[in-house]
Amino acid sequence: MRWLVTAVSEVAAARFQAWLATSSIEAVTLGPPWAEPPAGPFDALLLGGGGDVDPRRYRQARHPATDQIDEARDALELRLVRDNVERGRPVFGVCRGQQVIVVALGGALIQHLPDKIPESIERHRDGEGGGDVVHRVVLAGGSRLCDALRGVERVNSSHHQAAEPDTLPASLKVAVLSPNGVVEAIESAAASAVISAVQWHPERLAADDPAAARLLAHWRRMVGRPG
């Protein structure tokens, strides 16, 4: 099984390769300068973390805290999401990847969480270091992803933006929330589509951590299911 994975750096690419390899998945990584993807075929698309999506992509003015915009990456990843969704291919996302999926399908983002949810996690970003914040999550219920993550109580986060729940596209639904309402995971609303994403970083967790192992097992099953 081969997945196309976007990764912001060699360190991030190596983490995804190691994580996916625990489930016998080959990660073919694509990174800067964000040229055309390598030749497929690929069984799934997985978008990794990184800087902020240009808010013009979801019709908003830029917030002062919005940074690390890469227009070439935005253009490539948004196109990849739309192309793969149109063709019925599985699309997954991690952190920024979840945000790209939301924007690609017509939704918007909260550009700086503390502005809307004052008690939310502040930005914790130290490049490729180990500065993740560990916090509780609440499974929203009524989804395949929730069933797969049953028993997962804590995840690791490193972000200051998130999906705007009030503008979430009808094609998506919330699967996991933080206790204060931050969207932590989404999946396709239609059972026939395979779209799933999380705001946390499973590739930076221990391979046997439930928030990483159960998620990957679920995604692999979704790719391999008939039809």
Side-chain angles (χ1 to χ4, degrees), residues 7-68:
V8 72
S9 68
E10 291 183 1
V11 172
R15 285 174 171 156
F16 275 113
Q17 289 167 340
W19 179 52
L20 295 178
T22 64
S23 194
S24 301
I25 299 167
E26 178 189 358
V28 179
T29 57
L30 172 63
W34 308 110
E36 287 299 302
F42 299 104
D43 299 290
L45 169 67
L46 171 55
L47 307 177
D52 297 335
V53 178
D54 189 336
R56 291 179 297 179
R57 297 283 185 175
Y58 48 95
R59 301 168 298 282
Q60 288 186 12
R62 183 170 177 172
H63 187 286
T66 296
D67 64 0
Q68 298 185 30

Side-chain angles (χ1 to χ4, degrees), residues 61-226:
R62 183 170 177 172
H63 187 286
T66 296
D67 64 0
Q68 298 185 30
I69 291 173
D70 188 326
E71 294 183 4
R73 184 180 187 182
D74 287 351
L76 177 63
E77 289 188 327
L78 290 167
R79 176 168 60 84
L80 286 173
V81 170
R82 291 165 182 150
D83 286 350
N84 279 267
V85 169
E86 182 178 348
R87 289 169 170 76
R89 295 171 183 159
V91 176
F92 304 126
V94 164
C95 196
R96 168 193 158 92
Q98 171 169 290
Q99 297 163 17
V100 170
I101 291 170
V102 168
V103 173
L105 299 182
L109 306 178
I110 301 171
Q111 288 194 56
H112 195 52
L113 284 168
D115 287 354
K116 184 160 186 176
I117 308 174
E119 68 275 20
S120 68
I121 302 164
E122 291 278 353
R123 173 166 56 179
H124 292 265
R125 179 185 295 159
D126 62 348
E128 294 302 321
D132 295 352
V133 174
V134 177
H135 63 89
R136 292 193 307 111
V137 290
V138 179
L139 304 186
S143 72
R144 293 165 292 180
L145 185 54
C146 286
D147 291 342
L149 296 176
R150 195 172 304 281
V152 172
E153 297 180 349
R154 302 181 75 82
V155 300
N156 60 326
S157 288
S158 178
H159 64 102
H160 78 115
Q161 297 191 339
E164 170 56 77
D166 295 338
T167 66
L168 196 69
S171 58
L172 300 172
K173 62 182 177 181
V174 175
V176 183
L177 294 162
S178 71
N180 49 31
V182 176
V183 176
E184 292 289 339
I186 58 171
E187 73 173 15
S188 52
S192 59
V194 181
I195 305 169
S196 180
V198 298
Q199 190 61 60
W200 64 88
H201 281 275
E203 81 285 6
R204 301 206 298 233
L205 294 171
D208 60 351
D209 188 297
R214 295 181 190 177
L215 176 68
L216 183 54
H218 171 65
W219 282 357
R220 197 184 196 287
R221 285 194 301 270
M222 296 303 292
V223 173
R225 70 177 185 171

